[in-house]
Amino acid sequence: MSSGPSPGSAAFLEEATEPLDATRHSDATRETEKFLRSRIVGQDAAVDAVLELYQIFLVGMSPPDRPVGNLLFLGPTGSGKTYVIEVLAEALFGNPHAFIKVDCAEFQEHHEIAKLIGSPPGYIGHMHTQPILTQEALTRWHTEKLKLTLLLFDEVEKASESLWQLMLGILDKASLTLGDNTHVDLSQCVIFMTSNVGASEMSRLAEGGLGFAVQAPIEEANLDEKITHTATEAARRKFSPEFMNRLDKVVVFKTLRRDQLEHILDLELAKVQRRIEGAVGQNHFTFRCTPEVKQWLLREGTDPKYGARHLKRVIEKNIVYGLANLVATGQVKGGDCVSIGIKADGSLTFAKNAVTASEESAAAGSAP
C-alpha cells in the first residue's frame, strides 16, 4: 500500500511544481477574440464575458441542464449592446444576423405570449401561430463544428408577467414547453438580455456624455465605477431577486472617450468601403474623408439619446447617398479615388482623382 502524500496535502502540493496558465485561451477562442476586439470599441467587459462562456462551451464544461450562459447588458440605447451580439454572430457563423431576437416590447400583454410559444390546443390560432422558439429555430445556425445558439431578449424590462415566468424557467433549467406540449431544449444557448434601466441616471452622472455621445474629457477617474454601480442598482430595483440570481454576469456598457468615438467612425466608414467593393466588384473605387469631414460627422452624428445609431444615419445620408449618385451617373469608375471635403457652410464636396494600382491597394487596406 502506497505511503506517498495524499492529494490536497501540503507535501503533494509541493511536488506539483509545473506552472500552469489558467488565463490562456485556446486558438479558436483567440481567433474569435481578435475578431471581436477589432470591431467592438471600448466595451472590453462585454467581450471578456462572452469569451469566458465560449471557452467553457468549447471544452464541454458548460453547466448541465442550464443555458451555456445568461448575460444581462445594461446601458442606454445606441451604446452597442445589440451590436456586440451581431459581431459575435458574425465571428462564429459568418453572418451578423445568425441569432434569434425576441423583442420584449412586442410581448407586453398576456395573450401575446402565443407568438412566442404558440397557442395551446382548443385556443384560437392553434396550428396557425408558428412559435418563435422552436427546436428547429434554435438549431438553424448550427454547424458540424459548432452547435451553439445565440438568443437575445431585447429590452427585457418591457416583458409581460407571462414572459417573465417563461424566462425564469429558461434561465434556470434551459427548458421550455410550447403550446402544443412540445419540449424545447435550450442547454446549447447563450442567452443575452438587454435593458435600458438606469439610463437616465447614468446620463445625468456623466453629464449627458454616456454611450456614443461626443463629450469633453472626463477628469473623474472612477466615473466608470460609479456608472456601473448606478446601473446595477437600477437593475436590482427593477428586476426580481429570482431573475438576478439566474444571471451569470451583468455587464454595464461604459462611457466612450473621444478617441474611441473616432475609432468607431473609422470602422463605420470602412464598412461603407466594403459595401462599395461588394457592389461594384473588381472595378471598385475608394473614398477618403478629410479630418474636417470626420469631425463634422462626429458632431452631427453623435447624440446622447440615440448614440451610434444616429452616426450611421448621418453617414448614410451624407456619404453613401452622395457616392451612390456618383456611381449612378457614371462620374466615378474603377480605379478612381473620391476625396470628400467640407465647405465653410457645412456642405460636403466630392472630388475625383485617379490612383495607381499600388495606391488603390494601400487605400483599400486602411480605414477611410
Side-chain angles (χ1 to χ4, degrees), residues 101-279:
K101 179 179 178 180
V102 178
D103 187 351
C104 294
E106 298 180 1
F107 298 91
Q108 298 186 47
E109 302 295 335
H110 173 78
H111 66 274
E112 291 173 328
I113 202 70
K115 294 185 293 185
L116 192 66
I117 64 174
S119 299
Y123 282 74
I124 295 175
H126 179 61
M127 301 297 293
H128 297 288
T129 304
Q130 181 65 29
I132 295 176
L133 294 180
T134 63
Q135 200 69 56
E136 292 77 13
L138 293 179
T139 59
R140 176 185 176 187
W141 299 103
H142 285 190
T143 66
E144 191 63 34
K145 293 183 178 179
L146 185 61
K147 300 188 183 302
L148 182 66
T149 301
L150 308 180
L151 174 57
L152 167 62
F153 289 93
D154 194 34
E155 295 187 302
V156 68
E157 75 277 6
K158 297 180 180 178
S160 67
E161 184 63 30
S162 298
L163 184 52
W164 275 112
Q165 295 304 318
L166 281 179
M167 288 181 61
L168 289 177
I170 291 173
L171 298 177
D172 189 35
K173 300 295 184 184
S175 177
L176 177 66
T177 302
L178 301 182
D180 61 358
N181 289 325
T182 303
H183 176 72
V184 178
D185 178 15
L186 295 96
S187 61
Q188 293 178 308
C189 292
V190 178
I191 298 178
F192 299 91
M193 291 150 284
T194 64
S195 175
N196 299 327
V197 295
S200 58
E201 295 98 317
M202 288 184 281
S203 294
R204 286 196 297 270
L205 190 62
E207 297 180 341
L210 199 85
F212 288 107
V214 174
Q215 56 183 290
I218 298 175
E219 301 297 335
E220 197 168 358
N222 63 344
L223 176 64
D224 285 333
E225 287 75 9
K226 288 186 175 181
I227 288 176
T228 298
H229 176 76
T230 300
T232 303
E233 288 303 309
R236 292 188 181 280
R237 291 194 302 269
K238 174 66 179 179
F239 304 122
S240 67
E242 292 83 4
F243 175 80
M244 297 299 293
N245 287 337
R246 285 165 169 78
L247 301 176
D248 293 300
K249 195 157 193 178
V250 177
V251 179
V252 180
F253 279 59
K254 292 186 175 182
T255 305
L256 295 176
R257 272 53 176 181
R258 182 73 185 198
D259 60 327
Q260 294 171 328
L261 293 170
E262 292 172 351
H263 188 187
I264 290 169
L265 174 62
D266 285 338
L267 291 175
E268 292 299 324
L269 293 175
K271 288 181 184 178
V272 175
Q273 183 65 63
R274 289 195 294 271
R275 285 162 60 184
I276 292 171
E277 295 168 4

Side-chain angles (χ1 to χ4, degrees), residues 214 258 291-303 310-311 314 342 346:
V214 174
R258 182 73 185 198
E292 293 77 16
V293 170
K294 291 184 178 182
Q295 293 304 311
W296 180 84
L297 289 171
L298 282 174
R299 287 196 303 271
E300 295 294 317
T302 52
D303 183 273
H310 191 49
L311 177 61
V314 169
I342 188 169

Side-chain angles (χ1 to χ4, degrees), residues 76-79 81-82 154 212 301 305-314:
T77 181
S79 61
K81 301 185 295 295
T82 302
D154 194 34
F212 288 107
K305 187 174 181 181
Y306 298 107
R309 291 195 182 101
H310 191 49
L311 177 61
K312 293 179 181 180
R313 286 195 294 269
V314 169

